């Protein structure tokens, strides 16, 4: 296959970037999208040009590192998958492919296709946990969790924090990510003790990071590699409103 | 130096409790006077950092990822073992201990393995309390599945994403401590050296991957939780960035490296497609419950398949060789990982492999679909089939899957004593980075168990003993010359890599090393091949330092430079693996020497001469390493030949 | 009261304001369309004028009408605040996007649709509400009682084809606005359930996005055709 790539190149966060065109011949349809980038980077190195920086690690769709906006879509044209799970057979010989980094105020570009997603970690630190010190847990079967509840929690918990929801949202909103986190704990019996505080704090942190609001377009869920449902966003709204109306916190 | 494993005296079941009682304690008010560095935030690292911070120590946690949650623990699929005996099927701590020792082909310490089995039950309690959404029965209690190498159902799981959920549990605990200010989390930062002053570990030198800044961090103790070294093979199921650098640099500072030749090859991975391939994807072992493994009986048919002139379904039943069922009638397709892998290699070596590369066997679900219906198979394996189709582009419901073994886990690692301390006082190794609990072969669903046991339930006790011994004043500041020298060495090494300006990329050297390792130190090894490989690695290493091409500068985000440093370490580790494989003149677990096999072609141990842990001491660049032996004592199990006929 | 202002100024709180005002406006549409069906009566506007009288003199209705005006303003102002915030959340835009692959056009263009509707409401209120309250409307007498003859104003306005067109286009915009807005309003309040969400979606699509705008659009067309003697 012959492919024309237009890739966003940006030296660092202080320098403006631009789309740069590359020609690739001899691309195998069995290659993964990131393997195509490996090949390109090899060629660039031989030519003495700087390689294209991009985040990647597990290459099996679970670590959440890879983050490319391909031909106008987060993680490319295939739904329910990450960039690393995308293969060149999804494209046609002679195609031009535009590759950009995630775009969001809360995800500043570090270099080329690499962005800073630590905003997600700060949201998690704001309350995305159950406070239980090591060694203080009761026997696991003392906390029965109905199967349906466990499944719902797992549906939410499988979020890989890749940021595709933010990238795909017209408002760069992180609602699906935050909703998945809040939802995971909100449905489980173990999560009840900190339930109101968690919703209040995580939403406050989400807003402080500069993410947009939810317009309920559903783009996040469609582009989510784990197809996390919009049900969780509704639950987050419910959790937040409930928390605000019932908590004893007068300061906000 | 004499290797003291510090295994406590007394009956097996009481060793850990007695030992805990004997350990010195740090008084709660004094804990805040101690600083601990944790390198790596996978299962072992995140759980250790969180637990130590909960106790009151000041923790600095380092990861080269952008987030603590990206560590490769996240990719573990199957589950985590624990001797809960919730299924009432005869499980016990002793049985889990026994299965693990036997599965490891009697090359692990009894004391360590028993402790692992003992704390396994606490891990499940802890994780459930953290909100890990384990699979449940309709009544709300925990569900279990069975796994290879065991006759009881003791594996806890969260769909096919158990590693992810356990890591997130630890990540959440860690996040809570970050919010409390007890853990300082330092991301996108790679450890490049350990500082040893007066024989004790004092801190680390790191490179900030965003700015290139080389920085020093001092502490009272350093914990390496940096995973395994499977990527020495280039192609493995490990993540692209998994590497040996932290462990290897510690090794060069005096930490012994143990059993590097013990490598686990997983039988059910998606085969290599082409030279561009960057990693291998594991398909869960559970597929072998219903899939039948076969290749064509004769080479001509296989040849036609490779050329695309025939398809799998064109081969009639009587021209197929279900080689695992033929050779192991009682276990059939469910033989342990090492046996299944080796046999796939044999049939491919005979020229009967399928796929254009000749390196693949079929895993066929046609009979299972006929027997149980497509719906049942879909319910069991739907997501795996989907994943396979995404990668390969074939529909496994219609054409048999193609699989081939791939490097998956490394049992070897830094030598540690019962306290998880390496041969350098104050330097610890946890999780896959150490060698301790799996012997020569790891059972499925035991890696997660070990990582969390080390981090949640072992290190919080044992590190205190060391800290109480040295006292809070025994610390070296970062302006100490040892830090400055180490910083300079890191600078020098990076500058050297950048100044070579050769003609081959880092990737090309990594691939070349991978080929050598796979061909001569992979699924089966022999003395001749290993000797050849040793020379090849030495030559490749020399060439690397003459001809590698790394562009850019140190003072910026530079992924080529990061990779170059890691490959430089792999080029050294590779030789040690070969040395270790060559010296171990027996076959055991993941180490199969062709010279040492039974008449039926099974692994043949030499218990009289090799019932020991090999611990290698670094003596200087390009100098042979010195072998130390820690004899393994078995008081509670009888060493037998594994048989799966 | 810090918690109130903080809650309402959070991104979720702002959406709740949008939702409550929007759903209130939607409910008003039912009353409005039902009342205006009087236009279809062939009684020279008597029913319509009596209905208008009731709507402008009943104290409860008058109170609600102020709530309505406030809702329109708050809904519009909050949408401006949200849009500015949302646009600031992505300072650098994508060079190439294919949003149609993951979301509907209406869901992404609520601001544009809302702007059309806001302009429509201004014109609509200038023509009828302003005339009714402050303009000089001719009087009609039924059973000895004087009524403002708003029906005459309606006939005059809808006699012009471009005015009818403006209404029809605006009702199309209303349909698109509500096909997303109605169900989105429930989502923002966290009301989502396997059993009830399909009902909300049905109401949002068939009642609020199709039936009500169609009835509204039919009114100017009907009056136009009547005035010009076509029917």
């Amino acid at each position: 296959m012959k492919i024309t790539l237009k890739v966003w190149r940006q030296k660092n966060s202080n320098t403006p970037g631009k789309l740069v065109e590359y020609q690739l011949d001899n691309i195998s349809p069995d290659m993964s999208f990131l393997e195509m980038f490996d090949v390109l980077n090899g060629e660039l190195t031989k030519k003495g040009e700087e390689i294209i920086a991009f985040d990647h690690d597990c290459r099996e769709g679970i670590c959440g590192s890879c983050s490319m906006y391909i031909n106008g879509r987060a993680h490319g044209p295939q739904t329910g998958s990450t960039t690393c799970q995308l293969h060149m057979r999804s494209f046609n010989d002679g195609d031009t492919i535009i590759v950009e980094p995630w775009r969001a105020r809360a995800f500043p570009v570090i270099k080329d296709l690499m962005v800073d997603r630590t905003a997600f970690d700060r949201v998690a630190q704001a309350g995305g946990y159950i406070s239980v010190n090591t060694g203080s847990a009761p026997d696991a079967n003392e906390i029965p969790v109905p199967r349906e509840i466990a499944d719902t929690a797992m549906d939410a918990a499988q979020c890989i924090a890749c940021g595709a929801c933010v990238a795909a949202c017209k408002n760069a909103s992180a609602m699906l990510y935050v909703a998945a986190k809040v939802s995971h704990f909100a449905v489980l019996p173990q999560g009840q003790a900190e339930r109101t505080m968690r919703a209040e704090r995580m939403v406050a942190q989400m807003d402080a990071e500069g993410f947009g609001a939810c317009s309920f377009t559903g783009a996040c869920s469609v582009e989510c590699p784990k197809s996390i449902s919009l049900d969780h966003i509704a639950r987050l709204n419910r959790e937040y409103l409930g928390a605000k109306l019932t908590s004893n916190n007068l300061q906000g | 130096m004499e290797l003291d494993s510090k295994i406590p005296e007394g009956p097996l079941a009481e060793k850990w409790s007695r030992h805990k009682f004997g350990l010195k304690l740090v008084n709660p008010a004094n804990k805040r006077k101690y600083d601990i560095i944790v390198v790596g935030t996978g299962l072992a690292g995140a759980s250790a950092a969180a637990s130590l911070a909960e106790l009151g120590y000041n923790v600095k946690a380092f990861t080269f990822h952008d987030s603590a949650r990206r560590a490769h623990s996240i990719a573990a699929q199957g589950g985590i073992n624990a001797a809960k005996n919730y299924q009432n099927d005869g499980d016990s701590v002793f049985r889990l201990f026994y299965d693990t020792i036997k599965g490891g082909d009697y090359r692990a310490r009894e004391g360590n393995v028993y402790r692992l089995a003992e704390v396994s039950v606490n891990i499940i309690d802890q994780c459930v309390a953290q909100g890990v959404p384990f699979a449940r029965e309709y009544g709300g209690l925990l569900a279990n599945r069975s796994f290879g190498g065991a006759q009881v159902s003791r594996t806890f799981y969260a769909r096919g994403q158990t590693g992810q959920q356990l890591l997130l549990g630890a990540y959440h605990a860690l996040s809570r401590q970050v919010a409390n200010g007890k853990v300082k989390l330092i991301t996108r930062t790679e450890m490049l050296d350990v500082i040893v002053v007066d024989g004790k570990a004092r801190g680390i030198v790191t490179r900030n991957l965003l700015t290139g800044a080389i920085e020093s961090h001092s502490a009272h103790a350093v914990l390496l939780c940096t995973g395994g070294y499977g990527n020495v093979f280039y192609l493995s199921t490990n993540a692209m960035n998994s590497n040996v650098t932290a462990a290897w640099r510690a090794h060069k500072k005096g930490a012994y490296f143990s059993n590097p030749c013990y490598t686990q090859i997983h039988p059910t991975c998606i085969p290599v497609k082409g030279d561009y391939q960057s990693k291998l994807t594991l398909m869960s072992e559970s597929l072998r419950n219903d899939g039948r493994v076969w290749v064509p009986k004769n080479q001509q048919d296989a040849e036609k398949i490779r050329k695309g002139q025939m398809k799998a379904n064109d081969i009639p039943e009587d021209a197929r060789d279900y080689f695992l069922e033929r050779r192991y009638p009682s276990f059939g397709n469910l033989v342990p990982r090492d046996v299944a892998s080796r046999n796939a290699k044999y049939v491919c070596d005979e020229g009967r492999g399928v796929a254009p590369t000749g390196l693949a066997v079929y895993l066929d679900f046609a009979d299972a679909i006929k027997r149980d219906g497509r719906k049942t198979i879909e319910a069991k394996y739907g997501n795996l089939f989907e994943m396979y189709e995404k990668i390969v582009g074939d529909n496994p419901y219609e054409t048999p899957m193609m699989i081939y073994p791939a490097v998956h886990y490394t049992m070897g690692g830094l030598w540690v004593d019962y306290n998880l301390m390496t041969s350098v006082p104050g330097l610890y190794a946890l999780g896959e980075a150490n060698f301790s609990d799996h012997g020569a072969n790891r059972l499925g669903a035991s890696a997660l168990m070990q990582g969390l046991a080390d981090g949640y339930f072992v290190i919080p006790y044992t590190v205190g003993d060391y800290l109480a011994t040295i006292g809070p004043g025994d610390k070296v500041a970062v302006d100490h010359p040892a830090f400055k020298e180490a910083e300079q060495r890191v600078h020098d090494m990076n500058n050297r890599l950048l100044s070579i300006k050769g003609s081959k990329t880092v990737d090309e050297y990594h691939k070349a090393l991978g080929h050598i390792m796979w061909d001569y130190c992979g699924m089966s090894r022999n003395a001749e091949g290993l000797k050849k490989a040793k020379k090849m690695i030495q030559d490749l290493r020399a060439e690397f330092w003459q001809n590698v091409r790394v562009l850019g500068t140190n003072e910026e985000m530079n992924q080529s430079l990061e990779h170059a440093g890691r490959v430089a370490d792999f080029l050294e580790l590779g030789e040690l693996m070969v040395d270790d494989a060559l010296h171990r003149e027996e076959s055991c677990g993941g180490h199969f020497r062709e010279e040492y096999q039974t008449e039926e072609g099974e692994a043949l141990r030499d218990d009289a001469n090799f019932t020991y842990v090999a611990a290698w001491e670094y003596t200087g660049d390009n100098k042979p390493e010195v072998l130390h032996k820690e004899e393994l004592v078995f008081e509670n199990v009888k060493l037998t030949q594994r048989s799966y006929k | 009261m810090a918690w109130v202002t903080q809650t309402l100024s959070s991104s979720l709180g702002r959406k709740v304001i949008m939702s409550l005002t929007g759903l209130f406006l939607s409910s008003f549409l039912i009353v409005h369309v039902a009342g205006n069906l009087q236009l279809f009566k062939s009684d020279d506007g008597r029913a319509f004028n009596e209905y208008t009288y009731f709507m402008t003199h009943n104290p409860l209705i008058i109170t609600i009408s102020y709530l309505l005006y406030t809702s329109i303003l708050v809904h519009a102002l909050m949408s401006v605040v949200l849009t500015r915030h949302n646009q600031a959340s992505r300072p650098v835009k994508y060079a190439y996007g294919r949003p149609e692959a993951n979301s509907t056009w209406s869901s992404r263009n609520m601001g544009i649709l809302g702007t059309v509707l806001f302009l429509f409401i201004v014109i609509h209120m200038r023509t009828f509400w302003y005339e009714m309250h402050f303009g000089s409307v001719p009087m009609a007498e039924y059973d000895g009682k004087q009524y403002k003859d708003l029906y005459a104003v309606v006939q005059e306005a809808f006699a012009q084809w471009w005015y009818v067109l403006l209404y029809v286009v605006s009702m199309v915009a209303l349909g698109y606005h509500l096909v997303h807005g109605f169900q989105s309003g429930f989502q923002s309040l966290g009301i989502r359930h396997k059993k009830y969400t399909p009902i909300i979606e049905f109401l949002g699509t068939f009642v609020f996005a199709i039936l009500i705008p169609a009835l509204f659009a039919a009114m100017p067309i009907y009056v136009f055709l009547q005035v010009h003697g076509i029917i």
Side-chain angles (χ1 to χ4, degrees):
Chain A
M1 288 169 82
K2 277 191 203 310
I3 295 288
T4 305
L5 272 182
K6 286 185 181 172
V7 182
W8 184 262
R9 301 301 310 260
Q10 185 172 342
K11 183 106 184 114
N12 53 48
S13 52
N14 307 319
T15 328
K18 61 172 189 298
L19 285 172
V20 177
E21 198 171 305
Y22 300 96
Q23 293 294 332
L24 281 162
D25 308 331
N26 293 326
I27 293 298
S28 158
D30 288 329
M31 265 182 198
S32 77
F33 198 78
L34 295 183
E35 282 163 356
M36 176 188 65
F37 267 80
D38 294 340
V39 170
L40 173 59
N41 275 342
E43 288 178 9
L44 290 176
T45 305
K46 299 260 174 174
K47 279 197 276 187
E49 287 176 38
E50 209 174 331
I51 63 167
I52 300 163
F54 61 95
D55 272 319
H56 66 107
D57 197 32
C58 77
R59 297 209 178 183
E60 50 189 274
I62 193 75
C63 75
S65 294
C66 59
S67 49
M68 292 183 186
Y69 201 76
I70 301 161
N71 276 351
R73 294 186 64 186
H75 292 304
Q78 194 169 275
T79 49
S81 87
T82 55
T83 299
C84 65
Q85 292 174 304
L86 179 65
H87 282 71
M88 295 311 293
R89 70 179 84 90
S90 298
F91 299 91
N92 297 314
D93 193 19
D95 273 2
T96 297
I97 306 172
I98 302 172
V99 189
E100 299 176 75
W102 287 170
R103 298 283 188 203
R105 181 164 65 145
F107 290 168
V109 172
I110 292 169
K111 185 176 185 177
D112 299 336
L113 301 171
M114 191 180 267
V115 298
D116 180 356
R117 283 170 288 187
T118 46
F120 272 7
D121 290 310
R122 289 187 292 271
V123 172
Q125 285 155 15
Y129 47 75
I130 291 169
S131 296
V132 48
N133 281 357
T134 303
S136 54
D139 184 84
N141 260 350
E142 277 184 28
I143 314 167
V145 181
R147 189 161 173 170
E148 195 183 336
I149 301 281
D151 280 343
T152 307
M154 183 62 199
D155 287 342
Q158 63 178 329
C159 162
I160 59 172
C162 63
C165 45
V166 175
C169 175
K170 74 182 185 71
N171 306 335
S173 169
M175 281 291 275
L176 194 62
Y177 165 77
V178 180
K181 285 261 151 226
V182 169
S183 218
H184 166 197
F185 297 118
V187 298
L188 287 174
Q190 301 95 302
Q192 299 311 305
E194 292 159 295
R195 191 169 164 183
T196 49
M197 197 166 72
R198 181 180 304 118
E200 289 186 326
R201 287 188 183 170
M202 289 182 79
V203 169
Q205 188 62 37
M206 171 182 86
D207 283 349
E209 295 292 346
F211 293 106
C214 177
S215 287
F216 189 44
T217 69
C220 50
S221 183
V222 173
E223 304 294 17
C224 172
K226 298 292 164 196
S227 304
I228 292 174
S229 156
L230 297 173
D231 291 357
H232 299 294
I233 294 187
R235 185 177 288 106
L236 171 60
N237 287 328
R238 209 152 62 223
E239 288 294 314
Y240 180 73
L241 284 177
K244 282 297 178 190
L245 291 171
T246 60
S247 80
N248 288 325
N249 175 11
L250 293 176
Q251 302 315 310
Chain B
M1 188 182 117
E2 187 63 27
L3 282 175
D4 179 5
S5 63
K6 300 208 173 75
I7 302 286
E9 295 298 318
L12 189 61
E14 289 172 28
K15 282 183 195 288
W16 179 229
S17 328
R18 285 191 188 198
H19 186 68
K20 278 194 285 188
F21 185 73
L23 292 171
K24 288 198 193 78
L25 299 173
V26 178
N27 130 3
N30 279 342
K31 288 201 175 91
R32 70 174 75 95
K33 295 177 187 163
Y34 291 100
D35 302 323
I36 300 174
I37 284 174
V38 179
V39 185
T41 58
L43 284 179
S47 59
S51 303
L52 292 170
E54 286 161 11
L55 288 174
Y57 296 113
N58 307 311
V59 177
K60 262 190 190 178
F62 292 83
T63 171
F64 59 63
H65 288 107
D66 63 333
S67 164
R69 57 172 291 155
R70 309 258 190 243
H72 199 52
S73 309
I74 206 153
Q77 299 171 354
I80 177 168
N81 288 331
K84 280 285 194 187
N85 194 28
Y86 282 157
Q87 305 307 322
N88 195 30
D89 57 359
D91 199 9
S92 64
V93 169
F94 192 85
R95 189 176 295 281
L96 175 54
F97 152 77
Y98 182 81
D99 288 346
T100 308
I101 282 277
K102 180 187 170 200
D105 223 351
Y106 307 99
R107 290 295 175 264
R109 289 184 193 139
E110 281 192 341
N112 280 57
V113 176
Y114 193 87
R115 176 177 66 189
L116 177 67
E118 199 178 333
V119 301
S120 68
V121 296
N122 304 112
I123 297 173
I124 301 305
D125 299 342
Q126 183 64 25
C127 293
V128 166
Q130 287 170 345
V132 169
F134 283 121
R136 301 274 170 168
E137 304 292 354
Y138 282 106
L141 300 184
L142 288 154
N144 287 119
R145 60 163 63 136
S146 42
F147 235 77
Q151 288 168 304
V152 293
S153 218
R154 64 158 77 99
T155 305
F156 295 79
Y157 62 100
R159 297 199 188 141
Q161 288 140 274
T162 317
Q164 180 198 28
Q165 293 311 314
L166 295 176
L167 179 61
L168 290 182
Y171 164 78
H172 294 146
L174 178 67
S175 295
R176 174 171 155 242
Q177 293 307 319
V178 172
N180 286 348
K182 287 307 288 181
V183 173
K184 187 159 189 268
L185 179 64
I186 301 169
T187 59
R188 292 208 194 256
T189 298
E190 182 169 26
M191 186 206 110
L192 292 178
D193 211 350
V194 177
I195 306 304
V196 181
V197 178
D198 300 331
K200 296 188 193 112
R202 306 295 190 168
I204 60 171
V205 170
T206 58
R207 178 169 179 272
N208 180 324
L209 301 184
L210 296 178
T211 63
I214 310 287
E215 288 156 339
S216 290
H217 306 268
S218 89
H220 293 89
V222 176
L223 277 49
L224 301 183
C225 313
T226 51
Y229 49 86
N231 270 351
V232 68
F233 291 87
Y234 186 73
L235 287 181
S236 77
T237 63
N238 285 8
M240 298 299 289
N241 294 306
S242 301
N243 67 75
V244 78
T245 290
W248 192 253
R249 308 252 167 127
H251 174 54
K252 288 171 118 175
K253 282 296 177 71
Y256 293 177
F257 210 106
S258 274
N259 303 335
C261 76
Y262 292 161
T263 320
Q264 183 165 80
I265 316 277
H266 200 291
T268 49
C269 298
I270 297 177
V272 177
K273 277 262 175 176
D275 192 43
Y276 50 79
Q277 185 120 13
S278 60
K279 84 151 263 160
L280 297 171
T281 304
L282 180 79
M283 300 300 290
S284 171
E285 195 165 348
S286 61
L287 289 170
R288 284 197 283 140
N289 283 313
D290 285 301
R292 296 179 71 193
V293 179
W294 65 274
V295 288
K297 269 189 183 154
N298 64 60
Q299 286 182 23
Q300 291 75 22
D301 286 349
E303 178 75 27
K304 280 184 190 157
I305 289 175
R306 290 198 289 270
K307 287 186 175 155
Q309 296 159 348
M310 263 178 119
K311 294 218 158 18
N313 294 335
D314 300 337
I315 308 283
E317 197 59 34
D318 57 6
R320 299 177 178 192
D321 177 16
Y322 295 91
F323 55 92
L324 289 178
E325 295 171 23
R326 174 170 57 79
R327 289 196 61 185
Y328 307 95
S330 68
F331 274 70
N333 295 298
L334 284 172
V335 289
R337 289 176 178 180
D338 51 345
V339 179
S341 296
R342 221 158 31 239
N343 281 281
K345 178 182 167 17
Y346 291 153
V347 296
C348 291
D349 288 350
E350 289 163 18
R352 296 195 287 144
V354 294
T357 55
L359 296 176
V361 300
Y362 287 125
L363 181 62
D364 200 334
F365 290 86
D367 286 345
I369 293 172
K370 219 180 284 169
R371 186 184 65 230
D372 302 335
R374 183 176 158 144
K375 266 218 164 115
T376 310
I377 297 300
E378 200 173 326
K380 273 189 186 167
Y381 310 113
N383 60 336
L384 292 168
F385 280 27
E386 225 171 82
M387 181 163 103
Y388 179 87
E389 194 173 353
K390 249 180 218 166
I391 295 173
V392 181
D394 277 348
N395 179 351
Y397 294 103
E398 281 150 24
T399 44
M401 267 187 189
M402 285 187 290
I403 53 160
Y404 199 67
V407 175
H408 181 52
Y409 186 90
T410 51
M411 280 73 69
L414 292 176
W415 182 88
V416 289
D417 63 16
Y418 192 68
N419 294 323
L420 303 181
M421 197 196 286
T422 67
S423 50
V424 176
L427 180 67
Y428 293 79
L430 284 67
E432 193 181 348
N434 74 27
F435 88 103
S436 67
D437 297 355
H438 306 296
N441 177 51
R442 179 178 65 75
L443 288 186
S446 283
L448 302 181
M449 173 172 67
Q450 187 223 336
L452 290 179
D454 288 358
Y456 283 134
F457 295 109
V458 180
I459 200 72
Y461 293 91
T462 59
V463 81
D465 182 60
Y466 171 75
L467 296 174
T469 311
I470 63 167
D474 195 359
K475 192 184 167 199
V476 171
V478 291
D479 50 12
H480 188 280
F483 278 104
K484 295 295 144 201
E485 282 161 26
E487 285 180 22
Q488 192 56 47
R489 270 198 306 280
V490 169
H491 266 297
D492 291 347
M493 177 168 173
N494 284 353
N495 288 337
R496 197 175 151 206
L497 286 166
L498 289 163
S499 65
I500 298 168
K501 297 195 169 65
S503 65
K504 278 164 82 174
T505 63
V506 179
D507 236 29
E508 287 174 289
Y509 283 105
H510 196 174
K511 273 183 201 175
L513 174 66
H515 279 302
I516 299 171
M517 297 306 295
W518 182 245
D519 290 345
Y520 301 105
C521 197
M523 268 186 283
S524 68
R525 301 115 186 229
N526 61 55
E528 193 193 344
L530 288 165
K531 282 176 191 153
K532 194 169 151 196
K534 184 174 168 74
K535 177 77 174 61
M536 287 169 83
I537 295 168
Q538 286 171 343
D539 292 347
L540 188 69
R541 190 166 65 227
E543 193 202 315
F544 173 87
W545 283 104
Q546 295 293 321
N547 194 31
V548 73
R549 188 179 182 87
V550 186
L551 300 173
T553 64
N554 176 62
E555 284 69 34
E556 61 179 341
M557 151 65 62
N558 189 338
Q559 289 177 311
S560 297
L561 182 62
E562 294 164 25
H563 191 193
R566 294 168 193 169
V567 171
D569 292 333
F570 279 138
L571 282 163
E572 295 178 7
L573 166 77
E575 190 181 341
L576 183 64
M577 287 172 73
V578 166
D579 284 342
D580 190 47
L582 189 59
H583 110 280
R584 188 167 282 279
E585 294 177 332
E586 65 161 350
S587 295
C588 58
H591 168 66
F592 188 82
R593 280 284 297 268
E594 288 160 12
E595 303 95 315
Y596 309 101
Q597 49 181 310
T598 63
E599 278 169 17
E600 289 122 350
E602 302 305 330
L604 185 64
R605 284 198 323 267
D606 179 355
D607 292 333
N609 295 305
F610 288 95
T611 309
Y612 63 78
V613 174
W616 297 89
E617 181 186 1
Y618 188 81
T619 55
D621 287 351
N622 296 314
K623 283 189 192 149
E625 301 217 0
V626 174
L627 173 67
H628 301 265
K629 295 177 185 177
E630 180 204 325
E631 291 299 331
L632 290 168
V633 184
F634 291 93
E635 294 166 337
N636 300 279
V637 296
K638 198 167 151 276
L639 277 61
T640 55
Q641 180 75 41
R642 293 195 306 164
S643 169
Y644 299 95
K645 290 280 170 193
Chain C
M1 292 301 274
W3 72 275
V4 177
T5 52
Q6 287 226 6
T7 304
L8 295 181
S9 62
S10 70
S11 59
L12 273 67
R14 286 171 176 168
K15 292 300 295 189
V16 168
I17 293 173
M18 289 303 282
S19 158
L20 292 175
T21 51
L23 290 175
F24 177 61
L25 292 172
S26 300
S27 67
F28 160 72
L29 288 179
I30 299 177
V31 179
H32 195 35
V33 80
N36 285 16
L37 286 176
Q38 316 298 335
L39 282 172
F40 291 112
K41 266 194 174 172
S42 304
D43 62 352
D44 280 334
R46 176 175 176 168
F48 181 73
N49 283 337
E50 282 173 351
Y51 162 70
T52 312
Y53 182 88
F54 170 76
M55 293 301 276
T56 44
H57 289 81
N58 181 298
L60 180 68
I61 301 279
I62 292 169
T63 316
I64 291 175
S65 73
Y66 284 105
L67 196 55
L68 194 66
Y69 309 144
T70 317
S71 287
I72 293 170
L73 288 175
V74 169
H75 195 78
L77 287 173
M78 192 50 83
S79 76
V80 173
V81 171
L82 274 164
T83 304
R84 285 172 57 94
H85 171 72
N86 290 340
Q87 289 187 341
S89 299
R90 177 165 294 135
V92 183
K93 309 291 175 213
Y94 290 109
Y96 178 70
R98 278 197 67 228
E100 68 279 10
N102 57 38
S103 51
T104 58
W105 181 88
S106 57
S107 73
R108 296 191 306 275
N109 291 284
M110 292 297 277
I112 292 172
L113 292 166
T115 308
V116 170
L117 292 175
F118 188 76
L119 292 175
F120 165 78
I121 290 168
V122 171
I123 296 168
H124 177 67
M125 288 185 73
R126 171 67 187 84
T127 311
F128 300 115
W129 179 88
Y130 181 84
E131 285 300 318
M132 185 73 186
H133 287 83
F134 310 109
S136 53
V137 180
M139 301 302 282
E141 192 184 308
Y142 310 118
D143 302 334
K145 201 173 163 192
Q146 292 286 317
Y147 291 87
K148 283 191 175 180
D149 191 1
L150 190 65
Y151 186 71
V153 182
V154 170
Q155 279 184 315
E156 192 188 335
F158 292 158
Q160 308 158 77
W161 65 268
W162 59 268
Y163 207 81
V164 174
L165 185 68
L166 173 81
Y167 268 63
V168 172
V169 169
S170 300
M171 287 309 105
V172 172
L174 179 66
Y176 276 106
H177 197 73
L178 290 184
V179 76
H180 177 72
F182 186 75
Q183 33 180 304
S184 182
F186 288 92
Q187 172 82 1
S188 296
L189 295 175
I191 300 170
R192 190 176 171 94
H193 191 278
K194 268 202 174 83
K195 285 180 180 162
Y196 310 113
T197 298
I199 300 172
I200 292 169
E201 284 171 359
F202 177 85
L203 287 176
T205 308
F206 292 98
V207 176
F208 284 90
I210 296 176
L211 181 64
I212 292 180
L215 284 173
F216 273 129
M219 291 168 191
I221 295 171
Y222 178 78
V223 173
F224 178 85
L225 296 176
Q226 210 179 34
V227 169
H228 292 278
I230 299 168
I231 50 170

